[in-house]
C-alpha cells in the first residue's frame, strides 16, 4: 500500500495524474462497536462475575445497572472494565443503604449482588 501511495504521489507531482483517492487498509479501519439492547435477558444465572470478565453475564450486569441508573446505555459493551466496576460499587453502596441489606461492597457480582440487581427494592 505504501508503494502505491509513493507512485501516486510521484504521478501527481509530475502532472501525469490529476486526482488521488487513497483508501485505508483494512487493518487500520476500526470495527464498529457492538450495540446491545437491554430489552431481553442475556443471562439468568448467578455465577461470579468480576472485573476482566466478558460476555453475556457481563451484558446482563450492565443492563441491570443501566435500568437502575448506574450505567449509561453506551456502557453496555459486554466488557467488565473500570466503568462497570465503579457502577457495581455504587449500586452495592446504595442498595445496602436503602434496602438495609448486608450486601458486600466489593465490586464483584456474586450470588447476593445478582439477587439485589434483580430485586424489587428501589434504588
Amino acid at each position: 500500500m505504501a508503494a502505491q501511495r509513493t507512485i501516486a504521489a510521484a504521478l501527481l507531482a509530475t502532472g501525469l495524474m490529476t486526482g488521488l483517492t487513497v483508501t485505508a487498509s483494512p487493518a487500520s479501519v476500526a470495527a464498529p462497536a457492538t450495540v446491545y439492547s437491554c430489552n431481553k435477558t442475556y443471562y439468568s444465572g448467578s455465577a461470579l462475575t468480576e472485573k476482566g470478565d466478558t460476555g453475556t453475564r457481563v451484558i446482563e450486569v450492565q443492563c441491570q445497572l443501566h435500568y437502575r441508573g448506574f450505567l449509561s446505555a453506551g456502557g453496555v459493551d459486554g466488557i467488565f472494565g473500570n466503568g462497570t466496576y465503579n457502577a457495581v460499587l455504587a449500586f452495592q453502596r446504595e442498595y445496602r443503604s436503602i434496602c438495609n441489606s448486608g450486601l458486600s461492597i466489593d465490586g464483584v457480582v456474586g450470588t447476593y449482588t445478582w439477587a439485589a440487581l434483580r430485586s424489587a427494592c428501589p434504588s
Side-chain angles (χ1 to χ4, degrees):
M1 187 72 166
Q4 291 172 335
R5 283 191 214 130
T6 304
I7 294 169
L11 291 173
L12 265 176
T14 60
L16 297 174
M17 187 172 171
T18 58
L20 175 64
T21 303
V22 178
T23 57
S25 65
S28 67
V29 177
T34 303
V35 178
Y36 297 99
S37 170
C38 287
N39 63 358
K40 70 177 194 170
T41 300
Y42 287 92
Y43 177 75
S44 59
S46 61
L48 185 68
T49 307
E50 58 192 339
K51 196 170 180 181
D53 288 347
T54 60
T56 56
R57 287 180 312 176
V58 176
I59 297 166
E60 187 65 28
V61 167
Q62 291 171 332
C63 285
Q64 294 293 336
L65 291 167
H66 171 66
Y67 282 139
R68 291 180 175 263
F70 291 92
L71 194 66
S72 70
V76 180
D77 61 5
I79 302 166
F80 200 130
N82 289 332
T84 302
Y85 175 79
N86 290 328
V88 169
L89 284 173
F91 167 76
Q92 289 171 330
R93 262 188 227 100
E94 188 169 309
Y95 186 89
R96 184 175 178 164
S97 171
I98 292 174
C99 301
N100 297 316
S101 91
L103 190 64
S104 295
I105 301 169
D106 57 7
V108 174
V109 183
T111 303
Y112 297 113
T113 299
W114 275 114
L117 282 168
R118 295 173 173 142
S119 78
C121 182
S123 61

